[in-house]
Amino acid sequence: MRSEEYLDASPSMHNLRAEETSREKGQLESSLMTDGYDSSSRPSRSNPVRKRTGDTLTLVRANTTWSHLKSILKPVAYLIIGAALAMGHHLFNNWIDGKSVGSSPSVPQVWATRIGTAFAIAFHTVLAACLGFVICQLLWFTTRRNFLSIEDINTLYLVERRDIVSTILSNALLLSPLLVAVTLVSFLLPVASVFTPASLGVSNAIHYTEGPCVISAGNLMQASVLHEGGILLSGYTPVMQKLAETTFYGGTITPLPDYCGQNCTYNLNIDSFTFACQTSVTLPDGQMGTFDPNHPGPGVQTFWNATLTGSEADHDPTMSFYVGWATGATVVPYDSSIGSSGSAYCTPVQARYGFQVTKVNGVQTVSYTMTPTDPMLITTTHDENGKQPSPKAMRVGAVALATRDLLLGALSVKTTPVDIVWSFNSSVRVAAFLNMTTGDIRQFIWGDAIKGIEETAANVTASLLNLDLGGLQNSTCSYTQAELIYNYHPLNLWAPYGIALFVVSLALIFGVLVFLRFNPDNLTTSFTDTVGITRNRDLDAFARWHGGETQTDPALDSAKFRLGDMGQGRIGYGAPEEFKLQS
């Protein structure tokens, strides 16, 4: 392009406009020389672009070339790569699912997170590249179909370059809704990078294995620290008393030794005793005091009373006892809809316990089964054959005595015209099955008393495992191993990936159709194509008339241009009048 063919820039603006007007009125007498563009120096080619005459659109197709196919194959390849990355992320999560966190040969959690994030970022990156092709075609789709002002074209170019301010805070949505919509989709693609890494989490898994262990023998016959007396039973030792009281006051089994560690389960059997209780029996006269709720007045109001059928001094573990309990308060009326009241006749009997002791991270849980067997053996006299009590009878009897003494006694209050006297001479005041309110009305609320009595015997028996019960024995324990494992949630992965792939696929299909119909010249926003479509007579004239302080025609601000055929096989932005001239 020769510099001497350009018009001299020194003449006034009026001379330039007169010269341009003269050219237009001459209907382009010389088509070989247009403002310095020598069309004769370029080989003419058939024009495969859409021409426009008025508002009628016609399409002149060209044969599809390899460059066209390559332009289509690139975004399609990006879409396929994106789908492959999504599948790779799924396969990685599926492989690591259930594996231990941080243990060889598993992947450490920090690397599992990094790999998942890398898949997600690569996914939205290649899909964004795929949408770049679609956005470019939608730019040509708009500029070929509409006459736009220079400002509007600038706005659309900024949207194509994904300028978020121009995309959202401009009139681009009115100019090209599809272009804005697809650009916004490209902005939202990173959302997948936020949600998909969360598809792989961790959870606590419990594994159970069995192995040999050494636990308590559980043989009361070998426990010499339980009873007092030589040949005959005369009571229980302070060790036994402390163990029974500690268990009763705590309302549960005392912590047992860690025979097999902090995370294991073991089972053992112990021959001991339980209380066999008959409920709703008639109590001895005066067992529950003399207070009549229907006729309040002076008297003894009893909330609990357990009495032996014989002398407590006999230390006879076979002796039964009566027990009565009543939910009530020192003030009438009180809430009688809660708690329980009743009576029972309880007898100690021999029983066999099967305990299962489970510890998880040192936290103890004890469950048991209990089967009553035989009546208690005589321990305070010789039998009919003159034989002295057996060691087993002595030790089981001592456990029964210590436990029964916890339940004996009364909880009562004596009301007189001038005073109220409380009488709490029973350890049952601290029983787990008794609840005492702390409000203005002091109320005694009993739970399941019979169950509480039976559980007291079981808890004391289980707590005996803290003592030496005949040494140790070999057994099989179930060991509990807790570990963190990876936990894969496929829905959390495929929901964002699937939505993204679906939307981008639809956009790509539409972009390919636009490309074939509206961009057969395979235009891009590259520097070469930009120069090619902007260096033409119309834009040069507009630049000379519109530029700087020489502007004299305000109508130039409303000038509009459209991308199309400029003649001679050239594509460019032209004004409506020039399109009519070339029609």
Side-chain angles (χ1 to χ4, degrees):
M1 189 173 297
R2 298 183 301 273
S3 61
E4 59 268 18
E5 291 177 342
Y6 278 94
L7 292 177
D8 184 61
S10 62
S12 66
M13 186 63 187
H14 295 287
N15 293 334
L16 291 175
R17 293 192 62 186
E19 186 176 347
E20 286 295 328
T21 303
S22 175
R23 289 195 185 95
E24 291 177 359
K25 290 181 179 180
Q27 295 293 313
L28 302 176
E29 295 176 354
S30 176
S31 60
L32 298 178
M33 192 71 67
T34 56
D35 290 342
Y37 294 99
D38 187 359
S39 300
S40 62
S41 63
R42 300 177 56 186
S44 177
R45 62 174 180 175
S46 60
N47 183 16
V49 301
R50 182 184 296 275
K51 294 183 179 180
R52 180 168 183 153
T53 303
D55 292 327
T56 302
L57 296 176
T58 59
L59 180 66
V60 180
R61 286 189 174 275
N63 294 329
T64 302
T65 63
W66 168 243
S67 63
H68 291 78
L69 292 177
K70 184 170 64 173
S71 298
I72 296 175
L73 289 177
K74 285 178 63 177
V76 172
Y78 290 146
L79 181 63
I80 294 174
I81 293 173
L85 287 170
M87 180 57 66
H89 197 172
H90 165 75
L91 293 176
F92 171 74
N93 286 357
N94 197 57
W95 170 76
I96 205 173
D97 184 32
K99 295 184 181 297
S100 178
V101 176
S103 298
S104 179
S106 297
V107 179
Q109 187 174 6
V110 61
W111 278 106
T113 303
R114 290 170 179 170
I115 293 173
T117 304
F119 272 115
I121 293 177
F123 174 82
H124 81 69
T125 300
V126 296
L127 289 194
C130 178
L131 286 181
F133 166 82
V134 179
I135 293 172
C136 181
Q137 306 315 310
L138 291 177
L139 173 64
W140 308 135
F141 176 74
T142 302
T143 55
R144 282 185 183 274
R145 296 171 63 247
N146 303 282
F147 286 100
L148 304 169
S149 66
I150 292 295
E151 183 180 355
D152 292 339
I153 295 175
N154 285 339
T155 299
L156 294 181
Y157 268 73
L158 288 174
V159 173
E160 192 272 340
R161 290 174 173 83
R162 302 180 197 180
D163 183 286
I164 190 169
V165 176
S166 299
T167 303
I168 300 176
L169 302 179
S170 69
N171 63 337
L173 183 62
L174 300 177
L175 299 174
S176 181
L178 289 176
L179 176 61
V180 173
V182 176
T183 304
L184 290 176
V185 169
S186 70
F187 289 150
L188 295 176
L189 283 176
V191 172
S193 302
V194 176
F195 288 100
T196 52
S199 62
L200 185 65
V202 295
S203 60
N204 193 27
I206 306 297
H207 301 285
Y208 299 95
T209 58
E210 291 189 349
C213 59
V214 178
I215 61 175
S216 171
N219 187 359
L220 292 186
M221 293 181 61
Q222 304 297 324
S224 58
V225 297
L226 302 179
H227 70 283
E228 293 281 5
I231 298 177
L232 302 177
L233 180 64
S234 61
Y236 45 81
T237 64
V239 173
M240 182 67 242
Q241 181 181 12
K242 179 180 179 180
L243 184 66
E245 291 179 348
T246 301
T247 303
F248 189 62
Y249 295 161
T252 186
I253 300 171
T254 57
L256 303 179
D258 297 330
Y259 289 113
C260 54
Q262 293 287 306
N263 294 278
C264 75
T265 299
Y266 61 90
N267 299 275
L268 57 82
N269 299 318
I270 299 179
D271 291 323
S272 184
F273 87 105
T274 188
F275 293 110
C277 297
Q278 303 175 34
T279 58
S280 302
V281 299
T282 301
L283 297 175
D285 294 339
Q287 179 86 11
M288 297 304 292
T290 59
F291 180 78
D292 186 359
N294 297 322
H295 302 87
V300 177
Q301 184 180 4
T302 303
F303 304 105
W304 172 277
N305 194 10
T307 58
L308 290 170
T309 56
S311 173
E312 188 174 352
D314 293 339
H315 303 295
D316 186 1
T318 65
M319 192 178 300
S320 303
F321 62 94
Y322 287 97
V323 60
W325 65 96
T327 294
T330 57
V331 177
V332 179
Y334 55 84
D335 187 0
S336 59
S337 64
I338 57 177
S340 66
S341 301
S343 61
Y345 179 76
C346 299
T347 302
V349 296
Q350 294 187 81
R352 185 172 182 82
Y353 289 90
F355 289 103
Q356 183 180 76
V357 182
T358 301
K359 288 196 174 186
V360 178
N361 294 329
V363 179
Q364 171 182 291
T365 302
V366 180
S367 59
Y368 69 91
T369 59
M370 184 271 296
T371 304
T373 53
D374 301 315
M376 294 291 290
L377 298 175
I378 298 175
T379 59
T380 55
T381 61
H382 293 77
D383 63 11
E384 63 275 11
N385 297 322
K387 291 185 178 180
Q388 64 184 32
S390 65
K392 177 182 177 180
M394 301 276 281
R395 275 102 194 208
V396 173
V399 176
L401 281 177
T403 306
R404 187 184 64 187
D405 286 350
L406 296 171
L407 304 172
L408 297 179
L411 304 179
S412 62
V413 57
K414 181 179 181 180
T415 305
T416 68
V418 296
D419 199 5
I420 296 178
V421 180
W422 297 91
S423 178
F424 279 20
N425 63 354
S426 174
S427 299
V428 80
R429 64 184 180 274
V430 297
F433 50 91
L434 170 62
N435 181 30
M436 290 185 287
T437 61
T438 57
D440 296 335
I441 300 177
R442 188 175 302 175
Q443 188 168 345
F444 298 85
I445 305 170
W446 296 99
D448 190 339
I450 298 301
K451 181 180 178 181
I453 292 172
E454 293 176 350
E455 287 184 346
T456 298
N459 290 347
V460 172
T461 299
S463 297
L464 293 174
L465 293 174
N466 286 287
L467 305 178
D468 182 10
L469 302 182
L472 302 175
Q473 62 175 337
N474 293 323
S475 182
T476 299
C477 296
S478 176
Y479 294 93
T480 304
Q481 182 179 2
E483 62 176 348
L484 288 176
I485 62 171
Y486 290 106
N487 190 11
Y488 173 41
H489 304 280
L491 181 62
N492 293 343
L493 180 90
W494 285 113
Y497 276 167
I499 293 173
L501 288 171
F502 176 74
V503 173
V504 173
S505 298
L506 291 181
L508 179 59
I509 292 173
F510 185 75
V512 170
L513 294 177
V514 170
F515 174 78
L516 294 176
R517 291 182 61 84
F518 291 91
N519 190 19
D521 282 85
N522 196 11
L523 290 178
T524 66
T525 55
S526 66
F527 175 76
T528 303
D529 288 342
T530 300
V531 171
I533 63 179
T534 55
R535 294 295 294 158
N536 59 70
R537 177 180 58 256
D538 289 358
L539 289 183
D540 279 359
F542 175 82
R544 289 196 296 271
W545 291 354
H546 191 273
E549 299 177 356
T550 61
Q551 176 178 341
T552 59
D553 189 353
L556 291 175
D557 289 334
S558 61
K560 294 186 177 181
F561 300 86
R562 192 193 68 184
L563 184 66
D565 180 20
M566 298 298 293
Q568 310 300 323
R570 295 171 58 246
I571 307 300
Y573 282 101
E577 293 79 5
E578 293 300 317
F579 274 76
K580 291 178 181 177
L581 291 173
Q582 299 297 325
S583 299

